Amino acid sequence: MPLADSDGTSIYYERHGSGPAILFVHGSGGHHAAWWQQVAALREEFTVVTVDLRGFGKSDSSMAEFDGQDFPGDVVAVLDQEDITDAMLVGQSIGSVAALRAALLRPERVSSVVLGHSLGGISHPELKELAAADRAEAVKLPVIDRLLTKPFQRERADLTFLFQQMGTFNVARMQDLRNLDTDGPTLDEIRASGVRVAFLAGEKDAVLSVKTVTRAHELLAGSHLEIVPDAPHSMYWETPQPYNAAVARLRRTLTAPKEAA
């Protein structure tokens, strides 16, 4: 069983396929197995790495409490263990915050970060205000309606049930990740790191609006923006084909200048 040591904490991860590296960082209800549709689709062209943050999946969950500030180090531990030097980190929701922070900790190992359905915890007053307004609307909905569309829930009751079951394998909860947003990186710090950033948004995301993500893209000069039509917050699960295509396209293009150097 592959394990990485993150300051004494055992972090479970898996590595599949070969080629340029993509490392997925799950959100609050996920773990390494949540990426089953991505691994199967991408491993023929890419090295696909999936990780369980501490408190999730098969990683160490024995601690009395969890600190979201430790999660970026869990990602770094896997990068170091596998000696990956040109990764594209792909985060899902709040996992994007951990991904961006890990990239800033190890820019020599990470060439790009894809912030899926997230602003990555960027410290900027306008963005914080926009995200707060989106969140105020989202909390009016049942949790499942924030994550998956109602038509999908009706038509794919099986996958909706499996989606809900995924979180039952975790000990850590959403509240354990929230403080990841504390003291987030500034736009200047991100630009100075040399890490390229892409925002990946779903047109029907009920948690973070396209308008907010588009504004973040405008403020972060040099960033990329991918908006997937008809996709919800958990598009990796509900609409895997366009999601996988977007991730593959970003992996091929975002790091091309570095790979050619």
Side-chain angles (χ1 to χ4, degrees):
M1 186 170 76
L3 295 171
D5 183 281
S6 178
D7 291 329
T9 298
S10 294
I11 302 301
Y12 179 83
Y13 69 95
E14 295 184 0
R15 180 171 181 160
H16 303 271
S18 61
I22 302 172
L23 186 151
F24 288 98
V25 186
H26 61 77
S28 61
H31 47 71
H32 72 279
W35 303 107
W36 59 284
Q37 297 178 100
Q38 284 64 59
V39 172
L42 299 172
R43 63 187 172 189
E44 295 302 315
E45 182 178 353
F46 306 103
T47 296
V48 181
V49 181
T50 57
V51 178
D52 286 340
L53 300 172
R54 63 184 66 202
F56 292 81
K58 299 170 74 172
S59 286
D60 187 359
S61 303
S62 62
M63 54 284 292
E65 58 183 9
F66 302 93
D67 185 346
Q69 297 287 332
D70 293 326
F71 294 134
D74 298 343
V75 177
V76 167
V78 174
L79 293 171
D80 288 345
Q81 174 80 12
E82 289 297 307
D83 194 24
I84 296 173
T85 57
D86 184 29
M88 181 174 81
L89 306 186
V90 180
Q92 167 61 23
S93 192
I94 203 161
S96 294
V97 184
L100 181 57
R101 291 196 175 211
L104 299 181
L105 286 171
R106 286 287 193 282
E108 71 277 12
R109 293 198 177 279
V110 180
S111 53
S112 57
V113 178
V114 177
L115 304 178
H117 308 275
S118 172
L119 302 183
I122 295 171
S123 179
H124 189 279
E126 181 183 351
L127 295 180
K128 285 185 179 295
E129 184 176 331
L130 290 171
D134 288 345
R135 193 158 45 244
E137 291 300 310
V139 297
K140 298 175 183 178
L141 301 172
V143 173
I144 191 64
D145 291 346
R146 302 175 205 170
L147 307 177
L148 302 172
T149 65
K150 283 186 175 295
F152 181 83
Q153 294 176 52
R154 289 193 301 268
E155 297 163 13
R156 295 307 311 264
D158 52 349
L159 286 180
T160 299
F161 177 74
L162 180 59
F163 178 83
Q164 293 172 304
Q165 292 297 103
M166 281 286 172
T168 66
F169 292 91
N170 303 326
V171 175
R173 293 291 180 261
M174 181 66 183
Q175 57 265 30
D176 299 312
L177 287 86
R178 286 198 185 279
N179 73 330
L180 264 171
D181 277 339
T182 305
D183 298 324
T186 66
L187 297 173
D188 287 341
E189 288 171 336
I190 297 170
R191 284 190 290 262
S193 73
V195 174
R196 305 182 74 180
V197 173
F199 294 93
L200 178 57
E203 183 185 32
K204 294 185 177 179
D205 191 338
V207 177
L208 189 68
S209 69
V210 168
K211 176 183 176 182
T212 296
V213 177
T214 301
R215 183 58 181 149
H217 161 62
E218 292 169 351
L219 288 169
L220 183 56
S223 65
H224 293 246
L225 176 63
E226 288 266 352
I227 300 172
V228 178
D230 299 319
H233 189 72
S234 296
M235 83 164 103
Y236 73 97
W237 188 273
E238 180 171 331
T239 56
Q241 289 80 17
Y243 176 87
N244 297 340
V247 169
R249 184 164 54 250
L250 289 168
R251 173 67 256 210
R252 296 186 196 112
T253 59
L254 268 186
T255 56
K258 181 175 180 179
E259 291 171 353

